[in-house]
Amino acid sequence: MTQKKITYIIFGASGDLSKRYLMAALKNIQHVDTVVPISRKDYANLKDLILNDSDKNREKIFHLAIPPAGVPEAVELISNNFGKENIKIILEKPFGNNLASAKLLVEHVDKYFSEDQIYRVDHYLAKESLRKITTEEWSKENIASIEIIASEKIGIEGRAHFYEQTGALKDFVQSHMLEMAAITLAGSFDIHLREEMLKKIEIVCDITKNECVKRGQYEGYREEVGNPDSMTETSVSINLVSHAPALRGIPINLSTGKAVDEKITQIIIKYKDGGDKIFNIEHEQNAYERVMNSAIAGEHDLFISSGEILESWRILDAIEHTWKTSADLMMYKKGTQIRAIL
């Protein structure tokens, strides 16, 4: 069998993601014999920088490590310069900024490439420790609630511009936390089952009365970002419910916060008899290697479908609209216990 050859092109090569993770991971990836870093100034000269090899065993993978606003132009450039054959596109979160923008982004990408050519990254899906939720035994009988927590001791670490545009809801809940919830409900990483589970999740309370959605901001954040009026949340806690037959009506809580007392990521299954089953999701250095290898192999179960993107934004859309006119922001001290802001 002829071995596949890969040209790996990184848009946003000078960015933090590329420098910290992508370039390091590529050193351990087989089949990649050419790596091409691309910055914004290179857009006019793509054909000069990337050899348009006619070899049918050569595949071009374009990893777009750029903000969502830059994705439409990049996708169009790739199509206009290199066509569609033997091309894969890897996209990084956030996938849009709300439901409307996510729909537009999906529609735009669909004009140029098919869904099976698109690989939307959530590196949490590549964590081996998350797989335990599907490989270890746990009962789905007599469950009282499901709780998913992701907390960090650090603050925004100098990412003022990014975080002011994003916040905890978009940065963590819309992707990582809802995907972890979908995997838990599905008991599987299967991309189609995950989407079906997301379709069955919703908020069932009055958001405007703060009954099931809380947001907070750590003291000192506004000084860090230079915006004394910032309403950007650094913590958020959301109560959801699933209508999936096996887990119908069971409360699901998703909570995340920065600058709290401990760094943990946990999925906690609580039972009516007071017992629980805890899954600890660990930091894993080689998650991006799994992401890249899965894209090369054409395996989509470690990536997010367009349907999942739209369903996750559908779940959170009402929160986005409510927060635009609401002042319900709780301030908390750095080092506060994560349980105190849930």
Side-chain angles (χ1 to χ4, degrees), residues 9-14 36-43 45-46 49-50 62 66:
I9 304 105
I10 301 178
F11 279 55
S14 61
V36 184
I38 298 292
S39 60
R40 185 69 179 80
K41 63 181 175 58
D42 299 319
Y43 281 14
N45 304 305
L46 286 184
L49 296 168
I50 305 166
F62 291 86
I66 56 178

Side-chain angles (χ1 to χ4, degrees), residues 55-89:
D55 185 350
K56 291 186 178 180
N57 290 311
R58 177 168 294 280
E59 188 172 72
K60 294 183 184 70
I61 297 181
F62 291 86
H63 197 140
L64 306 190
I66 56 178
V71 169
E73 180 187 10
V75 167
E76 192 170 346
L77 274 172
I78 293 166
S79 176
N80 290 343
N81 281 278
F82 304 104
K84 185 175 180 178
E85 190 175 355
N86 289 331
I87 285 178
K88 291 174 180 174
I89 310 290

Side-chain angles (χ1 to χ4, degrees), residues 51 66 75 85 143 162 166 193 200 212 244:
L51 178 64
I66 56 178
V75 167
E85 190 175 355
I143 294 176
F162 167 80
T166 309
L193 291 177
K200 294 175 170 62
C212 59

Side-chain angles (χ1 to χ4, degrees), residues 3 8 26 66 70 85 100 106 123 137 142-143 160 172 174 201 236 239 248 255 272 274 291-292 295 310 314 323 329:
Q3 193 176 57
Y8 206 99
L26 278 169
I66 56 178
E85 190 175 355
V106 168
H123 71 275
E137 289 189 11
N142 299 311
I143 294 176
F172 235 88
Q174 186 270 329
I201 293 175
V236 62
N239 291 321
R248 187 182 302 278
S255 297
K272 293 177 181 178
V291 165
M292 291 171 175
L310 298 181
R314 187 259 318 159
W323 281 359
L329 188 68

Side-chain angles (χ1 to χ4, degrees), residues 157-217:
E157 297 291 282
R159 298 189 303 159
H161 180 69
F162 167 80
Y163 216 80
E164 271 293 90
Q165 292 182 322
T166 309
L169 188 74
K170 296 175 184 177
D171 184 39
F172 235 88
V173 176
Q174 186 270 329
S175 52
H176 305 322
M177 303 199 82
L178 280 171
E179 284 297 322
M180 286 192 283
I183 291 166
T184 303
L185 294 173
S188 170
F189 274 73
D190 181 274
I191 194 169
H192 304 294
L193 291 177
R194 294 195 321 249
E195 183 178 337
E196 287 304 308
M197 290 303 105
L198 286 173
K199 288 178 180 178
K200 294 175 170 62
I201 293 175
E202 64 178 332
I203 298 170
V204 287
C205 70
D206 188 342
I207 297 170
T208 63
K209 295 179 180 178
N210 306 321
E211 291 175 343
C212 59
V213 179
K214 300 178 190 175
R215 60 173 167 167
Q217 184 186 95

Side-chain angles (χ1 to χ4, degrees), residues 32 37 186 302:
V32 174
L302 293 190

